[in-house]
Amino acid sequence: MNKRKFFGILIVIFGVIMVGGSMGYEGPYAIMAPISMSLIVVAGLLMIFWNKVKSWISN
């Protein structure tokens, strides 16, 4: 496993924890907190599946 996939897995795990924690937020940005934290998960998934995403974009 290369470094990019390893860091991608760590970022996804961190992002899932952050999304779970932000679900209980009851402040003025209660809707935006989980959405913005899910961007961390998306970035991690892009790191894991970058070869497939790159080949999809190039076609």
Side-chain angles (χ1 to χ4, degrees):
M1 184 178 339
N2 58 13
K3 289 181 183 178
R4 182 176 25 89
K5 287 187 179 185
F6 178 72
F7 286 123
I9 291 170
L10 290 178
I11 290 172
V12 167
I13 292 171
F14 175 74
V16 167
I17 292 170
M18 295 296 285
V19 168
S22 65
M23 291 293 236
Y25 182 68
E26 296 179 2
Y29 300 107
I31 295 172
M32 287 303 294
I35 293 171
S36 62
M37 293 302 159
S38 65
L39 293 176
I40 297 171
V41 176
V42 171
L45 290 174
L46 283 175
M47 288 177 72
I48 294 171
F49 299 110
W50 180 247
N51 292 333
K52 293 179 183 179
V53 170
K54 190 168 71 172
S55 68
W56 180 70
I57 291 173
S58 66
N59 285 337

Short mmCIF file of all heavy atoms in Angstrom, two decimals:
data_model
loop_
_atom_site.label_atom_id
_atom_site.label_comp_id
_atom_site.label_asym_id
_atom_site.label_seq_id
_atom_site.Cartn_x
_atom_site.Cartn_y
_atom_site.Cartn_z
N MET A 1 0.86 -1.18 0.00
CA MET A 1 0.00 0.00 0.00
C MET A 1 0.91 1.24 0.00
O MET A 1 1.81 1.35 0.81
CB MET A 1 -0.89 -0.01 1.24
CG MET A 1 -1.86 1.11 1.25
SD MET A 1 -3.05 1.21 2.63
CE MET A 1 -3.14 -0.39 3.30
N ASN A 2 0.64 2.15 -0.91
CA ASN A 2 1.48 3.34 -0.97
C ASN A 2 1.03 4.39 0.05
O ASN A 2 0.00 4.25 0.71
CB ASN A 2 1.52 3.90 -2.39
CG ASN A 2 0.14 4.26 -2.92
OD1 ASN A 2 -0.80 4.31 -2.16
ND2 ASN A 2 0.04 4.48 -4.21
N LYS A 3 1.84 5.41 0.18
CA LYS A 3 1.60 6.43 1.22
C LYS A 3 0.29 7.17 1.01
O LYS A 3 -0.41 7.49 1.96
CB LYS A 3 2.74 7.44 1.22
CG LYS A 3 4.03 6.91 1.73
CD LYS A 3 5.09 7.99 1.72
CE LYS A 3 6.42 7.46 2.16
NZ LYS A 3 7.46 8.48 2.12
N ARG A 4 -0.07 7.44 -0.25
CA ARG A 4 -1.29 8.19 -0.53
C ARG A 4 -2.52 7.44 -0.03
O ARG A 4 -3.41 8.03 0.59
CB ARG A 4 -1.39 8.47 -2.02
CG ARG A 4 -2.60 9.29 -2.40
CD ARG A 4 -2.66 9.65 -3.87
NE ARG A 4 -1.97 8.78 -4.79
CZ ARG A 4 -2.51 7.71 -5.35
NH1 ARG A 4 -3.74 7.36 -5.08
NH2 ARG A 4 -1.81 6.97 -6.19
N LYS A 5 -2.57 6.14 -0.29
CA LYS A 5 -3.73 5.36 0.18
C LYS A 5 -3.76 5.25 1.70
O LYS A 5 -4.82 5.31 2.30
CB LYS A 5 -3.70 3.98 -0.45
CG LYS A 5 -4.06 4.00 -1.91
CD LYS A 5 -4.19 2.62 -2.48
CE LYS A 5 -4.56 2.72 -3.95
NZ LYS A 5 -4.82 1.41 -4.51
N PHE A 6 -2.58 5.11 2.31
CA PHE A 6 -2.52 5.02 3.77
C PHE A 6 -3.02 6.31 4.40
O PHE A 6 -3.85 6.29 5.32
CB PHE A 6 -1.08 4.73 4.20
CG PHE A 6 -0.90 4.67 5.69
CD1 PHE A 6 -1.40 3.60 6.41
CD2 PHE A 6 -0.27 5.69 6.36
CE1 PHE A 6 -1.24 3.54 7.78
CE2 PHE A 6 -0.10 5.65 7.73
CZ PHE A 6 -0.60 4.57 8.44
N PHE A 7 -2.53 7.46 3.90
CA PHE A 7 -3.00 8.74 4.44
C PHE A 7 -4.46 8.98 4.10
O PHE A 7 -5.19 9.60 4.87
CB PHE A 7 -2.14 9.90 3.94
CG PHE A 7 -0.79 9.95 4.59
CD1 PHE A 7 0.36 9.92 3.81
CD2 PHE A 7 -0.67 10.04 5.96
CE1 PHE A 7 1.61 9.96 4.41
CE2 PHE A 7 0.58 10.07 6.57
CZ PHE A 7 1.72 10.04 5.78
N GLY A 8 -4.92 8.49 2.97
CA GLY A 8 -6.33 8.59 2.62
C GLY A 8 -7.22 7.86 3.60
O GLY A 8 -8.27 8.36 4.00
N ILE A 9 -6.79 6.66 4.01
CA ILE A 9 -7.55 5.89 4.99
C ILE A 9 -7.59 6.62 6.33
O ILE A 9 -8.64 6.71 6.97
CB ILE A 9 -6.96 4.48 5.13
CG1 ILE A 9 -7.22 3.68 3.85
CG2 ILE A 9 -7.54 3.76 6.33
CD1 ILE A 9 -6.49 2.37 3.78
N LEU A 10 -6.45 7.17 6.74
CA LEU A 10 -6.42 7.93 8.00
C LEU A 10 -7.32 9.16 7.93
O LEU A 10 -8.03 9.48 8.90
CB LEU A 10 -4.99 8.35 8.33
CG LEU A 10 -4.04 7.25 8.74
CD1 LEU A 10 -2.64 7.82 8.98
CD2 LEU A 10 -4.54 6.54 9.97
N ILE A 11 -7.33 9.85 6.80
CA ILE A 11 -8.17 11.03 6.65
C ILE A 11 -9.64 10.66 6.66
O ILE A 11 -10.46 11.37 7.25
CB ILE A 11 -7.78 11.81 5.38
CG1 ILE A 11 -6.42 12.46 5.58
CG2 ILE A 11 -8.82 12.86 5.01
CD1 ILE A 11 -5.85 13.10 4.34
N VAL A 12 -10.00 9.54 6.02
CA VAL A 12 -11.39 9.10 6.03
C VAL A 12 -11.84 8.76 7.45
O VAL A 12 -12.93 9.15 7.88
CB VAL A 12 -11.60 7.90 5.08
CG1 VAL A 12 -12.95 7.25 5.31
CG2 VAL A 12 -11.48 8.35 3.64
N ILE A 13 -11.00 8.06 8.20
CA ILE A 13 -11.35 7.71 9.59
C ILE A 13 -11.52 8.98 10.41
O ILE A 13 -12.49 9.12 11.16
CB ILE A 13 -10.29 6.78 10.19
CG1 ILE A 13 -10.35 5.42 9.50
CG2 ILE A 13 -10.48 6.63 11.69
CD1 ILE A 13 -9.21 4.50 9.86
N PHE A 14 -10.58 9.92 10.28
CA PHE A 14 -10.68 11.20 10.99
C PHE A 14 -11.93 11.95 10.57
O PHE A 14 -12.64 12.51 11.42
CB PHE A 14 -9.43 12.04 10.70
CG PHE A 14 -9.48 13.42 11.28
CD1 PHE A 14 -9.32 13.62 12.64
CD2 PHE A 14 -9.68 14.52 10.46
CE1 PHE A 14 -9.37 14.89 13.17
CE2 PHE A 14 -9.73 15.79 10.99
CZ PHE A 14 -9.57 15.98 12.34
N GLY A 15 -12.25 11.96 9.28
CA GLY A 15 -13.43 12.66 8.79
C GLY A 15 -14.72 12.06 9.30
O GLY A 15 -15.66 12.78 9.66
N VAL A 16 -14.78 10.73 9.38
CA VAL A 16 -15.99 10.08 9.89
C VAL A 16 -16.19 10.42 11.36
O VAL A 16 -17.32 10.68 11.81
CB VAL A 16 -15.91 8.55 9.66
CG1 VAL A 16 -16.98 7.82 10.44
CG2 VAL A 16 -16.02 8.24 8.18
N ILE A 17 -15.09 10.46 12.12
CA ILE A 17 -15.20 10.86 13.53
C ILE A 17 -15.68 12.30 13.64
O ILE A 17 -16.54 12.62 14.47
CB ILE A 17 -13.84 10.66 14.24
CG1 ILE A 17 -13.53 9.17 14.35
CG2 ILE A 17 -13.84 11.31 15.61
CD1 ILE A 17 -12.12 8.87 14.81
N MET A 18 -15.16 13.17 12.80
CA MET A 18 -15.56 14.57 12.83
C MET A 18 -17.02 14.75 12.41
O MET A 18 -17.74 15.57 12.99
CB MET A 18 -14.65 15.41 11.92
CG MET A 18 -13.22 15.48 12.39
SD MET A 18 -13.04 16.28 13.97
CE MET A 18 -13.28 17.97 13.49
N VAL A 19 -17.47 14.00 11.41
CA VAL A 19 -18.88 14.08 11.00
C VAL A 19 -19.78 13.60 12.12
O VAL A 19 -20.81 14.22 12.42
CB VAL A 19 -19.12 13.27 9.70
CG1 VAL A 19 -20.60 13.12 9.42
CG2 VAL A 19 -18.45 13.93 8.52
N GLY A 20 -19.41 12.50 12.76
CA GLY A 20 -20.20 11.99 13.87
C GLY A 20 -20.27 12.98 15.03
O GLY A 20 -21.32 13.15 15.65
N GLY A 21 -19.17 13.63 15.31
CA GLY A 21 -19.16 14.62 16.39
C GLY A 21 -19.95 15.86 16.05
O GLY A 21 -20.59 16.47 16.91
N SER A 22 -19.93 16.25 14.77
CA SER A 22 -20.64 17.46 14.39
C SER A 22 -22.14 17.23 14.22
O SER A 22 -22.90 18.19 14.11
CB SER A 22 -20.06 18.04 13.10
OG SER A 22 -20.27 17.15 12.03
N MET A 23 -22.58 15.98 14.21
CA MET A 23 -24.02 15.71 14.11
C MET A 23 -24.76 16.18 15.36
O MET A 23 -25.92 16.54 15.28
CB MET A 23 -24.27 14.22 13.90
CG MET A 23 -23.82 13.71 12.57
SD MET A 23 -24.79 14.39 11.26
CE MET A 23 -25.37 12.92 10.51
N GLY A 24 -24.10 16.18 16.47
CA GLY A 24 -24.74 16.60 17.71
C GLY A 24 -24.66 18.10 17.96
O GLY A 24 -25.15 18.58 18.98
N TYR A 25 -24.07 18.84 17.05
CA TYR A 25 -23.93 20.28 17.21
C TYR A 25 -25.29 20.94 17.06
O TYR A 25 -26.03 20.67 16.12
CB TYR A 25 -22.95 20.81 16.16
CG TYR A 25 -22.69 22.29 16.26
CD1 TYR A 25 -21.99 22.81 17.34
CD2 TYR A 25 -23.13 23.16 15.28
CE1 TYR A 25 -21.74 24.17 17.44
CE2 TYR A 25 -22.88 24.51 15.37
CZ TYR A 25 -22.18 25.01 16.44
OH TYR A 25 -21.95 26.35 16.54
N GLU A 26 -25.63 21.84 17.99
CA GLU A 26 -26.95 22.47 17.98
C GLU A 26 -26.87 23.98 17.89
O GLU A 26 -27.80 24.68 18.27
CB GLU A 26 -27.72 22.07 19.23
CG GLU A 26 -28.02 20.59 19.28
CD GLU A 26 -28.76 20.19 20.52
OE1 GLU A 26 -29.10 21.08 21.33
OE2 GLU A 26 -29.01 18.99 20.69
N GLY A 27 -25.79 24.49 17.38
CA GLY A 27 -25.62 25.94 17.26
C GLY A 27 -26.27 26.47 16.00
O GLY A 27 -27.08 25.80 15.34
N PRO A 28 -25.91 27.68 15.64
CA PRO A 28 -26.53 28.31 14.46
C PRO A 28 -26.14 27.64 13.14
O PRO A 28 -26.83 27.80 12.14
CB PRO A 28 -26.01 29.74 14.51
CG PRO A 28 -24.79 29.69 15.35
CD PRO A 28 -24.99 28.57 16.31
N TYR A 29 -25.06 26.88 13.13
CA TYR A 29 -24.64 26.21 11.91
C TYR A 29 -24.82 24.71 12.00
O TYR A 29 -23.98 23.93 11.57
CB TYR A 29 -23.16 26.53 11.62
CG TYR A 29 -22.90 28.00 11.44
CD1 TYR A 29 -22.24 28.74 12.40
CD2 TYR A 29 -23.34 28.65 10.29
CE1 TYR A 29 -22.01 30.08 12.23
CE2 TYR A 29 -23.12 29.99 10.11
CZ TYR A 29 -22.45 30.70 11.08
OH TYR A 29 -22.24 32.04 10.91
N ALA A 30 -25.95 24.29 12.55
CA ALA A 30 -26.20 22.87 12.80
C ALA A 30 -26.26 22.06 11.52
O ALA A 30 -25.89 20.89 11.51
CB ALA A 30 -27.50 22.70 13.58
N ILE A 31 -26.70 22.65 10.43
CA ILE A 31 -26.78 21.92 9.16
C ILE A 31 -25.43 21.94 8.44
O ILE A 31 -25.03 20.95 7.84
CB ILE A 31 -27.87 22.53 8.26
CG1 ILE A 31 -29.23 22.32 8.92
CG2 ILE A 31 -27.85 21.92 6.88
CD1 ILE A 31 -30.36 23.02 8.23
N MET A 32 -24.73 23.05 8.53
CA MET A 32 -23.48 23.19 7.79
C MET A 32 -22.32 22.41 8.39
O MET A 32 -21.39 22.04 7.69
CB MET A 32 -23.09 24.66 7.68
CG MET A 32 -23.94 25.45 6.73
SD MET A 32 -23.94 24.76 5.07
CE MET A 32 -22.25 25.02 4.60
N ALA A 33 -22.34 22.15 9.69
CA ALA A 33 -21.21 21.47 10.33
C ALA A 33 -20.99 20.06 9.76
O ALA A 33 -19.87 19.75 9.35
CB ALA A 33 -21.41 21.43 11.84
N PRO A 34 -21.99 19.19 9.69
CA PRO A 34 -21.74 17.86 9.12
C PRO A 34 -21.40 17.90 7.64
O PRO A 34 -20.60 17.11 7.17
CB PRO A 34 -23.04 17.09 9.34
CG PRO A 34 -23.81 17.86 10.33
CD PRO A 34 -23.33 19.26 10.27
N ILE A 35 -21.99 18.85 6.91
CA ILE A 35 -21.71 18.95 5.49
C ILE A 35 -20.26 19.35 5.26
O ILE A 35 -19.56 18.76 4.42
CB ILE A 35 -22.68 19.95 4.82
CG1 ILE A 35 -24.10 19.40 4.85
CG2 ILE A 35 -22.25 20.24 3.38
CD1 ILE A 35 -25.15 20.38 4.42
N SER A 36 -19.79 20.32 6.00
CA SER A 36 -18.41 20.75 5.82
C SER A 36 -17.42 19.69 6.30
O SER A 36 -16.36 19.52 5.70
CB SER A 36 -18.17 22.07 6.53
OG SER A 36 -18.39 21.93 7.92
N MET A 37 -17.75 18.95 7.34
CA MET A 37 -16.87 17.89 7.80
C MET A 37 -16.86 16.72 6.83
O MET A 37 -15.87 16.00 6.73
CB MET A 37 -17.28 17.40 9.19
CG MET A 37 -17.09 18.41 10.28
SD MET A 37 -15.39 18.95 10.38
CE MET A 37 -15.59 20.49 11.21
N SER A 38 -17.95 16.52 6.10
CA SER A 38 -17.97 15.43 5.12
C SER A 38 -17.04 15.72 3.94
O SER A 38 -16.66 14.80 3.22
CB SER A 38 -19.39 15.16 4.64
OG SER A 38 -19.88 16.27 3.93
N LEU A 39 -16.66 16.98 3.74
CA LEU A 39 -15.67 17.29 2.71
C LEU A 39 -14.32 16.66 3.04
O LEU A 39 -13.55 16.31 2.13
CB LEU A 39 -15.53 18.80 2.54
CG LEU A 39 -16.75 19.51 1.98
CD1 LEU A 39 -16.51 21.01 1.96
CD2 LEU A 39 -17.07 19.01 0.60
N ILE A 40 -14.02 16.49 4.31
CA ILE A 40 -12.80 15.79 4.72
C ILE A 40 -12.86 14.34 4.26
O ILE A 40 -11.88 13.79 3.74
CB ILE A 40 -12.61 15.87 6.25
CG1 ILE A 40 -12.43 17.32 6.69
CG2 ILE A 40 -11.44 15.03 6.71
CD1 ILE A 40 -12.45 17.51 8.19
N VAL A 41 -14.03 13.72 4.41
CA VAL A 41 -14.20 12.33 3.98
C VAL A 41 -14.05 12.22 2.47
O VAL A 41 -13.40 11.31 1.96
CB VAL A 41 -15.57 11.78 4.44
CG1 VAL A 41 -15.80 10.38 3.92
CG2 VAL A 41 -15.67 11.81 5.95
N VAL A 42 -14.61 13.16 1.74
CA VAL A 42 -14.50 13.15 0.28
C VAL A 42 -13.05 13.30 -0.15
O VAL A 42 -12.59 12.61 -1.07
CB VAL A 42 -15.39 14.27 -0.33
CG1 VAL A 42 -15.13 14.43 -1.81
CG2 VAL A 42 -16.85 13.97 -0.08
N ALA A 43 -12.30 14.17 0.51
CA ALA A 43 -10.88 14.34 0.18
C ALA A 43 -10.11 13.04 0.44
O ALA A 43 -9.26 12.65 -0.37
CB ALA A 43 -10.29 15.48 0.99
N GLY A 44 -10.41 12.36 1.52
CA GLY A 44 -9.76 11.09 1.81
C GLY A 44 -10.10 10.02 0.79
O GLY A 44 -9.24 9.24 0.36
N LEU A 45 -11.36 9.96 0.39
CA LEU A 45 -11.76 8.99 -0.63
C LEU A 45 -11.10 9.28 -1.96
O LEU A 45 -10.74 8.35 -2.71
CB LEU A 45 -13.28 8.97 -0.78
CG LEU A 45 -14.04 8.37 0.40
CD1 LEU A 45 -15.54 8.54 0.20
CD2 LEU A 45 -13.69 6.90 0.56
N LEU A 46 -10.93 10.56 -2.30
CA LEU A 46 -10.22 10.90 -3.54
C LEU A 46 -8.77 10.45 -3.47
O LEU A 46 -8.21 10.00 -4.47
CB LEU A 46 -10.29 12.41 -3.79
CG LEU A 46 -11.60 12.94 -4.34
CD1 LEU A 46 -11.57 14.46 -4.42
CD2 LEU A 46 -11.87 12.34 -5.70
N MET A 47 -8.16 10.55 -2.30
CA MET A 47 -6.78 10.08 -2.15
C MET A 47 -6.69 8.57 -2.32
O MET A 47 -5.75 8.06 -2.93
CB MET A 47 -6.22 10.49 -0.80
CG MET A 47 -5.93 11.96 -0.67
SD MET A 47 -5.34 12.41 0.95
CE MET A 47 -3.70 11.71 0.93
N ILE A 48 -7.67 7.84 -1.80
CA ILE A 48 -7.64 6.38 -1.89
C ILE A 48 -7.85 5.92 -3.33
O ILE A 48 -7.14 5.07 -3.85
CB ILE A 48 -8.70 5.77 -0.96
CG1 ILE A 48 -8.36 6.05 0.49
CG2 ILE A 48 -8.83 4.27 -1.20
CD1 ILE A 48 -9.45 5.68 1.46
N PHE A 49 -8.84 6.49 -4.00
CA PHE A 49 -9.22 6.04 -5.34
C PHE A 49 -8.72 6.98 -6.43
O PHE A 49 -9.36 7.14 -7.46
CB PHE A 49 -10.75 5.91 -5.43
CG PHE A 49 -11.30 4.91 -4.47
CD1 PHE A 49 -12.05 5.30 -3.39
CD2 PHE A 49 -11.06 3.56 -4.65
CE1 PHE A 49 -12.57 4.38 -2.51
CE2 PHE A 49 -11.57 2.62 -3.77
CZ PHE A 49 -12.33 3.03 -2.70
N TRP A 50 -7.56 7.61 -6.23
CA TRP A 50 -7.09 8.62 -7.17
C TRP A 50 -6.81 8.03 -8.55
O TRP A 50 -7.08 8.68 -9.56
CB TRP A 50 -5.84 9.33 -6.65
CG TRP A 50 -5.35 10.34 -7.61
CD1 TRP A 50 -4.20 10.33 -8.30
CD2 TRP A 50 -6.03 11.53 -8.01
NE1 TRP A 50 -4.10 11.43 -9.10
CE2 TRP A 50 -5.22 12.19 -8.94
CE3 TRP A 50 -7.26 12.09 -7.67
CZ2 TRP A 50 -5.59 13.38 -9.53
CZ3 TRP A 50 -7.63 13.29 -8.26
CH2 TRP A 50 -6.81 13.92 -9.18
N ASN A 51 -6.30 6.80 -8.64
CA ASN A 51 -6.01 6.22 -9.95
C ASN A 51 -7.28 6.05 -10.77
O ASN A 51 -7.30 6.34 -11.97
CB ASN A 51 -5.31 4.87 -9.79
CG ASN A 51 -3.92 5.03 -9.22
OD1 ASN A 51 -3.29 6.07 -9.38
ND2 ASN A 51 -3.46 4.00 -8.54
N LYS A 52 -8.35 5.61 -10.14
CA LYS A 52 -9.62 5.44 -10.85
C LYS A 52 -10.22 6.79 -11.22
O LYS A 52 -10.77 6.96 -12.31
CB LYS A 52 -10.60 4.66 -10.00
CG LYS A 52 -10.19 3.22 -9.79
CD LYS A 52 -11.17 2.49 -8.94
CE LYS A 52 -10.69 1.07 -8.71
NZ LYS A 52 -11.59 0.30 -7.86
N VAL A 53 -10.10 7.77 -10.33
CA VAL A 53 -10.65 9.10 -10.61
C VAL A 53 -9.87 9.75 -11.76
O VAL A 53 -10.47 10.35 -12.65
CB VAL A 53 -10.58 9.99 -9.34
CG1 VAL A 53 -10.91 11.43 -9.66
CG2 VAL A 53 -11.51 9.45 -8.27
N LYS A 54 -8.56 9.58 -11.76
CA LYS A 54 -7.74 10.18 -12.81
C LYS A 54 -8.04 9.56 -14.16
O LYS A 54 -8.15 10.27 -15.16
CB LYS A 54 -6.25 10.01 -12.46
CG LYS A 54 -5.34 10.79 -13.35
CD LYS A 54 -3.93 10.85 -12.81
CE LYS A 54 -3.26 9.51 -12.91
NZ LYS A 54 -1.84 9.54 -12.58
N SER A 55 -8.25 8.25 -14.20
CA SER A 55 -8.58 7.61 -15.48
C SER A 55 -9.99 7.98 -15.92
O SER A 55 -10.26 8.10 -17.12
CB SER A 55 -8.45 6.09 -15.37
OG SER A 55 -9.43 5.56 -14.51
N TRP A 56 -10.90 8.21 -14.98
CA TRP A 56 -12.26 8.62 -15.32
C TRP A 56 -12.27 10.03 -15.89
O TRP A 56 -12.99 10.33 -16.83
CB TRP A 56 -13.15 8.51 -14.09
CG TRP A 56 -14.57 8.91 -14.32
CD1 TRP A 56 -15.49 8.23 -15.05
CD2 TRP A 56 -15.22 10.08 -13.82
NE1 TRP A 56 -16.68 8.91 -15.03
CE2 TRP A 56 -16.54 10.04 -14.28
CE3 TRP A 56 -14.81 11.15 -13.03
CZ2 TRP A 56 -17.45 11.05 -13.99
CZ3 TRP A 56 -15.72 12.12 -12.74
CH2 TRP A 56 -17.02 12.07 -13.21
N ILE A 57 -11.45 10.92 -15.31
CA ILE A 57 -11.39 12.30 -15.77
C ILE A 57 -10.74 12.38 -17.15
O ILE A 57 -11.17 13.17 -18.00
CB ILE A 57 -10.63 13.17 -14.75
CG1 ILE A 57 -11.45 13.32 -13.48
CG2 ILE A 57 -10.31 14.54 -15.33
CD1 ILE A 57 -10.72 14.01 -12.36
N SER A 58 -9.73 11.57 -17.40
CA SER A 58 -9.00 11.66 -18.67
C SER A 58 -9.81 11.13 -19.85
O SER A 58 -9.50 11.41 -20.99
CB SER A 58 -7.67 10.95 -18.57
OG SER A 58 -7.87 9.57 -18.42
N ASN A 59 -10.84 10.33 -19.57
CA ASN A 59 -11.65 9.78 -20.69
C ASN A 59 -12.67 10.72 -21.14
O ASN A 59 -13.19 11.57 -21.06
CB ASN A 59 -12.32 8.48 -20.29
CG ASN A 59 -11.33 7.36 -20.25
OD1 ASN A 59 -10.31 7.42 -20.90
ND2 ASN A 59 -11.64 6.34 -19.50
#
